[in-house]
Amino acid sequence: MSHKPDDIIARVRELREILGLSQEEVADKLGIALDTFRQYETGQQSIPISTLNAVAELFHVDFTVLLTGDMPRMENYSLVRKGEGVKVERFPGYDFQSLAFNFKNRSMEPMLVSLDEYDDDKAPALVTHTGQEFNLVLAGKIKIVLGKHEFELGEGDSFYFDPRIPHGQRAVGGPAKFLTVINN
């Protein structure tokens, strides 16, 4: 099951309008520039996962609602078979699968991230968010930028960090896959 960024953008805009919130109010409550939020809503800029989580919290909906338009249904467990997670293509060369999308009231968000290698000039801006984050490289190599530090991780390497520090991940030497778990 694959979802396009345009679908997510439409849900964010629709929920904002249903709640009677202006773009200015949402940008202010998220702590981001109004122009940045407008770029998110028009698809000119990719919405970071951390911002989607913050939007879900602000709108009092589950993250899954933004991804799929549906509410999660499972209370005791959620089984997601290989390749059946909710797949979101954030931008060319970066997609993720939500691996617990159907579990109600999650306190963490496990995702399988696939990255293609890209040039430094095409690297997305570093992001910040609340909570804690864990990354485990499953295939290939990734470079993690955390503030002023850079770490190269290979298959089997893991990294646990404070995501309030500006950070980002990218593939090195070819495509890469990693598991990321973000707790809210």
Side-chain angles (χ1 to χ4, degrees), residues 20-177:
L21 297 170
S22 68
Q23 289 180 327
E24 293 83 1
E25 289 172 303
V26 173
D28 184 56
K29 290 179 181 190
L30 294 175
I32 60 176
L34 174 59
D35 189 51
T36 300
F37 185 75
R38 285 184 173 149
Q39 289 177 0
Y40 293 159
E41 271 205 359
T42 59
Q44 295 172 329
Q45 187 174 333
S46 176
I47 304 175
I49 295 167
S50 56
T51 301
L52 284 174
N53 272 316
V55 167
E57 186 176 315
L58 176 65
F59 292 175
H60 301 286
V61 298
D62 192 279
F63 183 69
T64 299
V65 172
L66 295 180
L67 295 184
T68 68
D70 292 326
M71 286 293 295
R73 294 175 178 85
M74 304 307 293
E75 293 181 14
N76 295 320
Y77 68 90
S78 175
L79 173 64
V80 177
R81 300 280 186 198
K82 182 178 180 177
E84 293 182 2
V86 172
K87 185 176 179 181
V88 176
E89 300 163 8
R90 283 199 54 217
F91 52 83
Y94 183 114
D95 65 57
F96 70 87
Q97 287 185 53
S98 176
L99 300 177
F101 64 93
N102 206 20
F103 193 85
K104 290 181 177 181
N105 304 314
R106 291 182 306 284
S107 61
M108 60 182 146
E109 193 65 47
M111 295 173 279
L112 178 60
V113 179
S114 298
L115 296 173
D116 290 334
E117 188 173 24
Y118 47 82
D119 298 327
D120 285 339
D121 61 334
K122 294 182 181 175
L126 300 179
V127 298
T128 62
H129 54 88
T130 59
Q132 298 176 345
E133 185 166 338
F134 172 77
N135 296 169
L136 172 65
V137 180
L138 303 173
K141 291 184 180 177
I142 65 169
K143 179 188 287 185
I144 296 179
V145 175
L146 182 67
K148 296 179 182 180
H149 304 283
E150 293 185 358
F151 306 90
E152 190 169 302
L153 283 69
E155 189 174 324
D157 293 341
S158 65
F159 196 70
Y160 194 99
F161 62 98
D162 179 347
R164 293 175 297 178
I165 301 168
H167 65 280
Q169 301 91 342
R170 60 188 200 128
V172 176
K177 284 191 183 237

